[in-house]
Amino acid sequence: MTATLVYVLHQAAFGAIAAAGFGVLFNFRPVSLAWCAASGAAALAVRTLGLQVGWSLEAASFTAASTVTVAAVALLRQDRGPSASAVAVAGCIPMVPGAFFAQALLGLFALTAPQGAPEGPTVVATLASMLRVVFTLAGIGAGIAIPLHILRRREF
């Protein structure tokens, strides 16, 4: 239990740092950078907990993006207005699976090399990595878009 908590806090801390960094890249105001860090920490904590209980990366990323978007819109709608959704996006960017994307690109490079790798295993590994990236990005995108669409209505 303690090891899991330490791991979740570790992931949350680095999610906060990464999300605040993306907030700087997006030219957010200093007050909004704190909200970006909080949303990044929450996103990575929820995703890590989902992965710890056995969810797929895609499902855990969708749940984390949904949770962060609902929380950001609920907490920041009055204070930040439309930029609440931008804070949610900045918090979700650290969940993009860069390692899988790198594996997919390296596999594509290996396949197109003059003295290419054995094609069967390389193609399978490359496609598997690329599909993980595509479905994870789709999960993050849907996790942001669906709550924003639902919470945009006045009756909620």
Side-chain angles (χ1 to χ4, degrees), residues 5 16-17 21-22 24 32 35 41 46 52-53 56 65 73-74 89 97 102 117 130 135 141 155:
L5 180 63
I17 293 168
F22 284 112
V24 169
S32 295
W35 286 110
V46 170
Q52 289 293 315
V53 297
S56 67
V73 170
V89 170
M130 189 57 78
F135 287 131
E155 54 268 8

Side-chain angles (χ1 to χ4, degrees), residues 39-119:
S39 68
L44 268 289
V46 170
R47 186 182 78 171
T48 302
L49 287 172
L51 291 172
Q52 289 293 315
V53 297
W55 293 356
S56 67
L57 177 64
E58 297 82 1
S61 297
F62 171 78
T63 303
S66 297
T67 302
V68 167
T69 302
V70 168
V73 170
L75 292 173
L76 300 176
R77 178 181 280 172
Q78 299 297 329
D79 187 42
R80 298 275 169 229
S83 69
S85 59
V87 168
V89 170
C92 291
I93 290 175
M95 293 191 299
V96 173
F100 286 117
F101 189 63
Q103 289 174 355
L105 284 179
L106 291 174
L108 289 174
F109 292 151
L111 287 171
T112 59
Q115 299 155 351
E119 292 182 7

